[in-house]
Amino acid sequence: MRNDARSSVPSLHGHASVDHAIRRSARLRVILTDCAILLALSAAAQSTAFTARLGRATICSDSFQYVAAAEALVYPMQTPHFETRKPGYPLFLAGVKSAFGELGWVAILCNHALLMFLPLAAYGFGTHLHSRLLGWASAGLTMVQLQTLVFSNWMMSEVLYPFLLSFGLLAFVVGLSKPRAGLWLITSGMLLGLAWLTRGVAVVVIPIALIAVMVVHWQDKHRAARLCAVFAFP
């Protein structure tokens, strides 16, 4: 009888691990399906905004500085200057120009492509901190607000910065809940570092955001704090 009881223990552990794997796979399929639907909706919204404005770049004094620095990075005979601007966005524009041969509408199209992914970051925050329903709500609010963003047609860092900051913080949040968080935290550090290279305000925003994320994450009994964090993201 004792041998039978002992032999049944491994089988119980085996069934538990199989059930856990099945639940994890099902959850992953739900998340991927939600992300695909959100990405399609966001792409449709951004494509409408892009075609409605004919993809024209709004030029201002800041744009000239970014473009001049980007062209100086592409052409070896010129010297880039970063005395007044962080190098992150000129590096991004230099990559766009190297890949496509021009800026203008191509840079604006890249802006809209970056904005297209922001609702996914909002969904990730909402789902991880509270629930799937709140993830959809946060993503929906973000999608609505992006339709009123005027910087999407400007060659300025106001689009690249929130993309890097949002996904950097999301990787940090996910990493806090993982037993092996090394890759998540490395990814978070890289994205937040790029955000710091893109906007000077990141020097203040990133430490405050990281502290807030840790407080919200560890306050398991206070779901109201998590709810506020989800709706504060957009």
Side-chain angles (χ1 to χ4, degrees):
M1 295 293 292
R2 291 180 180 178
N3 292 333
D4 293 340
R6 290 175 182 176
S7 62
S8 65
V9 173
S11 63
L12 291 176
H13 285 294
H15 286 302
S17 62
V18 170
D19 291 341
H20 176 73
I22 292 174
R23 288 194 299 269
R24 184 177 179 180
S25 177
R27 175 176 170 80
L28 181 60
R29 284 197 299 270
V30 170
I31 292 175
L32 291 177
T33 301
D34 287 350
C35 288
I37 295 172
L38 281 172
L39 192 60
L41 293 174
S42 185
Q46 289 301 320
S47 64
T48 302
F50 180 76
T51 55
R53 296 164 185 167
L54 301 179
R56 294 175 180 173
T58 301
I59 303 298
C60 62
S61 59
D62 292 347
S63 299
F64 281 117
Q65 295 177 16
Y66 286 124
V67 172
E71 290 181 344
L73 289 170
V74 174
Y75 300 115
M77 300 302 294
Q78 300 184 26
T79 302
H81 296 280
F82 301 115
E83 291 84 359
T84 58
R85 298 294 170 189
K86 288 277 191 174
Y89 192 62
L91 286 170
F92 172 76
L93 290 179
V96 172
K97 188 172 181 63
S98 298
F100 300 100
E102 62 174 300
L103 292 175
W105 70 270
V106 179
I108 303 307
L109 181 62
C110 291
N111 280 354
H112 287 280
L114 292 176
L115 294 178
M116 182 178 70
F117 286 94
L118 275 181
L120 298 186
Y123 170 83
F125 270 100
T127 303
H128 192 78
L129 293 176
H130 197 275
S131 65
R132 182 187 176 197
L133 178 61
L134 266 297
W136 272 95
S138 184
L141 288 174
T142 302
M143 213 177 300
V144 170
Q145 288 196 345
L146 289 179
Q147 293 302 304
T148 63
L149 187 65
V150 297
F151 293 114
S152 58
N153 278 358
W154 293 13
M155 283 190 284
M156 294 177 63
S157 60
E158 275 76 359
V159 172
L160 179 62
Y161 170 68
F163 175 86
L164 296 171
L165 180 67
S166 300
F167 281 97
L169 291 176
L170 178 60
F172 184 75
V173 168
V174 175
L176 287 179
S177 64
K178 300 291 183 181
R180 298 179 180 178
L183 183 59
W184 288 101
L185 296 182
I186 290 173
T187 303
S188 174
M190 292 176 60
L191 291 174
L192 293 178
L194 291 173
W196 177 81
L197 287 173
T198 302
R199 294 282 293 175
V201 70
V203 176
V204 178
V205 172
I206 290 176
I208 294 175
L210 290 177
I211 293 172
V213 165
M214 287 188 291
V215 170
V216 170
H217 182 81
W218 285 326
Q219 294 295 322
D220 291 333
K221 295 181 180 179
H222 300 285
R223 293 183 68 83
R226 296 186 174 210
L227 186 64
C228 292
V230 170
F231 279 107
F233 177 85

